[in-house]
Amino acid sequence: MAKELFQGIYSSHKIVFIERIEKNLQFYLKDKIANIKKSGQEIILDIDIKNIDFVLSELKNNPEFSVEILNSIVFYPSKNANFLLLSLASMSNNFSLILKINLGVIEKNEDSELLENNKLFSDSLSSLSLKNKKYINLLNYTKTENFLIKYNEIIEEISKYYKNANNFKNNKILRQSVNDLIIKSGVLDGLDFFDLYVQAEFDLIVKAYMDLTIAEINSNDIFSAIKFTDLLTIISRLDYSAGIFPEICFCIGVEDVLQIKVSRKVSLIRMLISELFRISNHIFYIAKISKVLGADLCFNKALIEREKVLRIIELYTGSRINPNFIRIGGLKEDLSDAKLLTLKKALKEIMINIDSLETLLLDNSIITAKLKNIGIINKDVAVKYGLSGPNLRSCGIRYDVRKNRNLLLYKDISFLIPVGKYGDCLDRVQIRFNEIYQSIKIIEQILNQITDEPVKKYLRFDGVNIPRIETVASVECPHGAYKIFLELEDEYILNLVPITPSINSLFCAQEILQGSKVEDIILIIASLDLSSSEFFQRFYLW
Amino acid sequence: MEYFFTKKKLNIFVTGIGCCKQEIIATVGPIYDISRFGVNFVSLPEDADILVIQGFISSLGEKRLITIFNSLKTPKWIIAVGKCVVDSSLLNKNYKFTDKFKNILKIDYYLPGCPPRPEAFIFCLLKLQELI
């Protein structure tokens, strides 16, 4: 199985012309839109709150766009007004866009919650110097009751077109009604950021609700009045199970605005390290799954392999978990031939060991019986909840940002996008193994293509005058399509909004838990590979 | 063999959400193999001797941390792991865990690093065993 996949050739991908879609949007929506912008492979569409009905119906029903998927709804405060970001995607036309809805200025009430936020905010203001204060958004994060009612009304309008929007509602009533069984946050990484409220009849689950209040971590500093260069050192904590991806995503976004072209070697090394991180994340996933299943031998074997990959990552970047390696327009340092040689030697060993780990885990009939026909996600459900990444591919839909969006230099490299069939837990585990083989295949090709040319290390941005501007960039991280929305001015970041894939998997988990047994809860949630760091945000309002 | 009879066997309970947890879990595997020192990871605070605090902690997490600390059996020890707990939180500079809880929790060992390596965590536990 591994050999067949390893030697397979993938047919060339469909080319997308974003310019054509941009023109069509301008033609059909005319004066209903305030502004339209193209940033890299993404489109940002500015609209007013009045026109939301017209625009959504046009986007959904017009065959030129046919936008079927709503990925997430994020709220963020800006300098003059507050905004709502809808991340939308079209599978049939192969494009994605960000809909930016202007909510206007929200009146400030003297609510207790608001005052608390203000106090926290004034603390962080006092620690900044006078020069930086200009770049802070003085409109604060407001969670007053009036605003939440208004927010829920908007969500209801969106849910006429996209049914999964209802999940983004602020619903405190649901939390109290579902409480036959409460499972508090666990110890294992990926199961520690939620409390699960379950309503059950005997051993069958009727309703499940995941409460994320334990992950609401106060994070004022990271998102405002910070320089690009300072942000790059800490941005990897936004997805610490695969730390390189937020860095790459951020750098692609800024390079796109400033129109910086990176050399071929820089892109190749970025791809190489991101594939190494993908392998390490997938192996850790297998370790976690085997821990849940009780297969201790596989858990230990997987940790040995992960350690090998982590040591190579440490050799290249200097850190095992948080790399801090990518720079705007370049890299932290060049990779010497000796370093590349160690990877070449280790790759063969990793390939053989992972193959034997797969046979050990999945040729065991007791384990496959535990995984088979549990937590099934249909194609329709996957599209309805806007899943992405390996979880989507395990349902049988071939969609990968690396191929479909021309990310970095993936178009020059031949690799296969593995697809599952039934969308159950077994498929989800199998697809991770297959992706590891493909990543090894990609790395082998990259090692043959890297040349001796020197690498540009970094660019200086002292005293650069950049006008106020916004961009989006997306990468394929191990959990799915990872997006970052940015607002820049001069050398400072005004707003940074990560739009992350694990939220969709979480909402999907709430649905597929209905009808399954109580004993399978932890297995189903662990098989979806939720990353706990993606939920540390102040931008979600539910 | 002498080691097993002289030193105390310890059970560990880990709290918090953060990247240090990956490095702490890595010590279980055969490469670092923390169990050769008689150290175990448990999933119930009632069984544990040592509380490991790491990562980012929310306001609900703080309340839960204190209930977990109270349900630990005596004698109990606390290890603070990572920059976010030892110094100030990475995502919010004004939040200082050790200052906030200095009257409630008595921390025995501070383990700096972002995240600390698995070897450092094992070294910290060996130091604690000497103390016991």
Side-chain angles (χ1 to χ4, degrees):
Chain A
M1 182 69 190
K3 267 190 181 175
E4 279 168 36
L5 275 168
F6 192 73
Q7 286 159 359
I9 298 165
Y10 184 75
S11 59
S12 65
H13 56 91
K14 204 168 117 188
I15 297 167
V16 193
F17 295 102
I18 292 288
E19 288 81 4
R20 197 199 53 172
I21 288 158
E22 195 185 351
K23 268 182 190 172
N24 281 340
L25 280 170
Q26 273 169 345
F27 178 75
Y28 285 107
L29 302 174
K30 278 171 198 154
D31 53 337
K32 304 280 183 192
I33 47 177
N35 193 9
I36 184 164
K37 228 178 290 169
K38 186 170 71 79
S39 75
Q41 300 278 319
E42 310 271 338
I43 297 170
I44 305 173
L45 203 65
D46 274 20
I47 60 164
D48 201 78
I49 188 74
K50 295 172 229 160
N51 304 325
I52 185 169
D53 231 21
F54 178 82
V55 172
L56 283 179
S57 70
E58 192 70 24
L59 283 175
K60 178 133 202 214
N61 302 324
N62 195 329
E64 290 282 353
F65 315 120
S66 63
V67 177
E68 322 93 333
I69 300 166
L70 172 75
N71 281 326
S72 70
I73 300 175
V74 188
F75 165 81
Y76 83 96
S78 187
K79 213 161 198 173
N80 303 319
N82 290 343
F83 292 96
L84 210 63
L85 293 182
L86 305 193
S87 165
L88 301 165
S90 163
M91 204 74 86
S92 50
N93 285 322
N94 194 9
F95 76 98
S96 67
L97 66 94
I98 297 266
L99 202 65
K100 192 177 154 196
I101 302 166
N102 192 341
L103 300 178
V105 181
I106 291 158
E107 293 169 20
K108 283 187 180 177
N109 293 345
E110 289 207 357
D111 210 297
S112 58
E113 217 168 348
L114 178 66
L115 279 173
E116 198 181 306
N117 273 320
N118 271 329
K119 199 184 156 200
L120 282 171
F121 202 69
S122 59
D123 282 353
S124 66
L125 264 180
S126 60
S127 66
L128 290 168
S129 66
L130 267 174
K131 200 184 162 192
N132 298 9
K133 276 182 188 173
K134 188 182 139 195
Y135 300 99
I136 267 197
N137 295 312
L138 286 170
L139 260 182
N140 201 354
Y141 171 49
T142 53
K143 214 172 176 180
T144 57
E145 272 185 25
N146 283 344
F147 171 67
L148 289 178
I149 292 165
K150 196 184 162 193
Y151 170 81
N152 277 357
E153 281 169 8
I154 297 164
I155 298 286
E156 241 164 57
E157 257 181 54
I158 297 166
S159 66
K160 285 177 202 165
Y161 303 97
Y162 301 100
K163 277 180 185 170
N164 67 326
N166 272 326
N167 290 313
F168 293 89
K169 256 187 193 173
N170 188 278
N171 43 6
K172 280 181 182 167
I173 311 144
L174 222 162
R175 218 173 283 181
Q176 292 151 5
S177 69
V178 187
N179 57 1
D180 280 352
L181 180 71
I182 302 168
I183 297 173
K184 286 192 180 176
S185 58
V187 176
L188 208 59
D189 187 36
L191 298 170
D192 52 359
F193 62 94
F194 60 84
D195 296 338
L196 187 68
Y197 291 74
V198 175
Q199 197 178 4
E201 279 180 8
F202 303 109
D203 65 339
L204 283 181
I205 299 166
V206 180
K207 214 173 194 181
Y209 176 72
M210 283 154 121
D211 183 12
L212 297 177
T213 32
I214 197 160
E216 276 176 12
I217 281 145
N218 183 19
S219 52
N220 275 329
D221 277 3
I222 193 168
F223 296 113
S224 55
I226 186 167
K227 285 185 183 179
F228 318 143
T229 41
D230 295 350
L231 185 84
L232 267 173
T233 57
I234 51 172
I235 199 172
S236 61
R237 276 77 175 178
L238 292 181
D239 186 2
Y240 55 66
S241 53
I244 200 90
F245 291 97
E247 283 181 18
I248 291 183
C249 191
F250 173 79
C251 285
I252 288 174
V254 177
E255 278 160 13
D256 204 69
V257 174
L258 304 179
Q259 298 190 340
I260 299 166
K261 266 199 168 181
V262 293
S263 65
R264 189 179 160 79
K265 191 180 179 184
V266 170
S267 314
L268 283 174
I269 291 175
R270 282 180 186 184
M271 279 158 66
L272 186 131
I273 289 168
S274 66
E275 291 310 314
L276 281 174
F277 266 94
R278 197 186 308 281
I279 294 172
S280 100
N281 181 76
H282 283 342
I283 299 176
F284 197 43
Y285 167 89
I286 291 157
K288 279 188 282 187
I289 276 282
S290 34
K291 182 88 181 165
V292 171
L293 287 166
D296 268 0
L297 182 59
C298 298
F299 173 74
N300 288 337
K301 275 200 137 195
L303 280 183
I304 293 174
E305 295 314 307
R306 182 170 183 259
E307 200 62 34
K308 280 176 195 163
V309 181
L310 282 183
R311 283 183 183 174
I312 292 165
I313 289 171
E314 193 186 12
L315 180 71
Y316 286 2
T317 66
S319 172
R320 287 153 60 93
I321 306 288
N322 303 312
N324 182 18
F325 187 69
I326 310 291
R327 299 283 181 271
I328 295 162
L331 299 167
K332 186 175 139 200
E333 56 185 38
D334 199 354
L335 299 184
S336 64
D337 289 345
K339 281 181 181 176
L340 295 174
L341 200 69
T342 50
L343 176 59
K344 235 179 213 177
K345 281 176 188 167
L347 264 187
K348 279 176 194 168
E349 212 177 302
I350 292 166
M351 178 80 186
I352 294 164
N353 289 343
I354 293 216
D355 199 7
S356 73
L357 178 64
E358 191 190 351
T359 49
L360 190 68
L361 187 71
L362 297 182
D363 283 7
N364 187 342
S365 62
I366 299 167
I367 286 170
T368 43
K370 277 184 190 172
L371 291 168
K372 211 169 187 181
N373 291 330
I374 284 169
I376 297 172
I377 306 176
N378 296 328
K379 267 187 192 179
D380 302 335
V381 175
V383 172
K384 182 184 150 196
Y385 281 94
L387 285 187
S388 56
N391 291 341
L392 176 74
R393 274 171 249 139
S394 69
C395 311
I397 298 170
R398 187 164 274 152
Y399 183 83
D400 193 319
V401 175
R402 288 176 291 176
K403 280 279 187 193
N404 290 44
R405 243 354 102 60
N406 270 346
L407 191 71
L408 296 168
L409 289 173
Y410 281 106
K411 64 172 191 283
D412 294 357
I413 281 164
S414 111
F415 64 99
L416 204 90
I417 298 171
V419 191
K421 202 172 179 184
Y422 307 105
D424 55 357
C425 288
L426 182 60
D427 267 359
R428 263 172 253 144
V429 177
Q430 181 82 57
I431 214 157
R432 259 76 180 195
F433 277 110
N434 295 346
E435 284 203 358
I436 291 170
Y437 305 137
Q438 294 306 318
S439 293
I440 291 171
K441 188 177 173 181
I442 292 169
I443 290 170
E444 274 188 357
Q445 289 177 54
I446 291 169
L447 285 175
N448 294 331
Q449 290 189 19
I450 284 182
T451 50
D452 285 344
E453 60 181 298
V455 163
K456 187 177 274 176
K457 283 183 182 162
Y458 60 91
L459 301 170
R460 293 190 74 116
F461 291 99
D462 304 343
V464 178
N465 288 323
I466 304 166
R468 191 187 177 81
I469 208 163
E470 54 201 24
T471 60
V472 194
S474 68
V475 290
E476 175 83 17
C477 85
H479 320 288
Y482 192 97
K483 281 182 194 174
I484 286 182
F485 179 85
L486 275 175
E487 264 189 353
L488 308 174
E489 192 175 332
D490 295 343
E491 54 202 301
Y492 288 91
I493 297 212
L494 304 182
N495 254 313
L496 183 138
V497 187
I499 300 168
T500 53
S502 287
I503 285 98
N504 303 313
S505 308
L506 182 103
F507 292 145
C508 196
Q510 285 179 17
E511 174 151 335
I512 59 171
L513 279 175
Q514 292 172 20
S516 54
K517 286 182 179 173
V518 174
E519 66 198 38
D520 297 331
I521 289 176
I522 291 171
L523 179 63
I524 289 172
I525 295 170
S527 78
L528 285 166
D529 196 13
L530 304 171
S531 163
S532 27
S533 54
E534 288 176 18
F535 298 91
F536 298 166
Q537 290 171 29
R538 56 181 188 143
F539 298 106
Y540 296 113
L541 287 181
W542 61 76
Chain B
M1 283 303 282
E2 202 179 303
Y3 190 87
F4 280 94
F5 296 116
T6 50
K7 299 282 172 179
K8 194 176 187 304
K9 292 165 191 73
L10 297 169
N11 289 338
I12 298 180
F13 186 82
V14 186
T15 57
I17 314 168
C19 15
C20 306
K21 193 177 271 180
Q22 287 185 35
E23 294 291 65
I24 292 168
I25 291 174
T27 57
V28 184
I31 288 185
Y32 298 105
D33 194 14
I34 202 166
S35 55
R36 70 197 146 119
F37 304 114
V39 178
N40 270 322
F41 283 85
V42 291
S43 52
L44 278 177
E46 285 82 2
D47 302 338
D49 309 300
I50 299 174
L51 182 66
V52 174
I53 304 168
Q54 55 89 36
F56 313 103
I57 297 161
S58 62
S59 53
L60 180 64
E62 285 171 0
K63 287 173 199 165
R64 208 163 278 183
L65 185 72
I66 288 164
T67 53
I68 286 170
F69 176 72
N70 291 332
S71 59
L72 244 65
K73 61 183 178 188
T74 45
K76 45 194 167 188
W77 296 273
I78 301 180
I79 302 174
V81 177
K83 193 252 177 197
C84 298
V85 180
V86 173
D87 187 19
S88 61
S89 175
L90 251 181
L91 299 182
N92 189 6
K93 281 172 202 158
N94 296 305
Y95 182 82
K96 284 182 179 164
F97 180 84
T98 41
D99 285 5
K100 200 172 177 182
F101 287 90
K102 76 183 159 193
N103 296 327
I104 306 164
L105 305 173
K106 188 194 160 270
I107 294 169
D108 296 283
Y109 274 92
Y110 294 90
L111 181 57
C114 191
R117 294 180 60 88
E119 290 97 328
F121 184 70
I122 292 172
F123 181 72
C124 181
L125 278 167
L126 292 179
K127 281 279 167 193
L128 207 150
Q129 276 182 335
E130 277 174 20
L131 182 89
I132 296 165

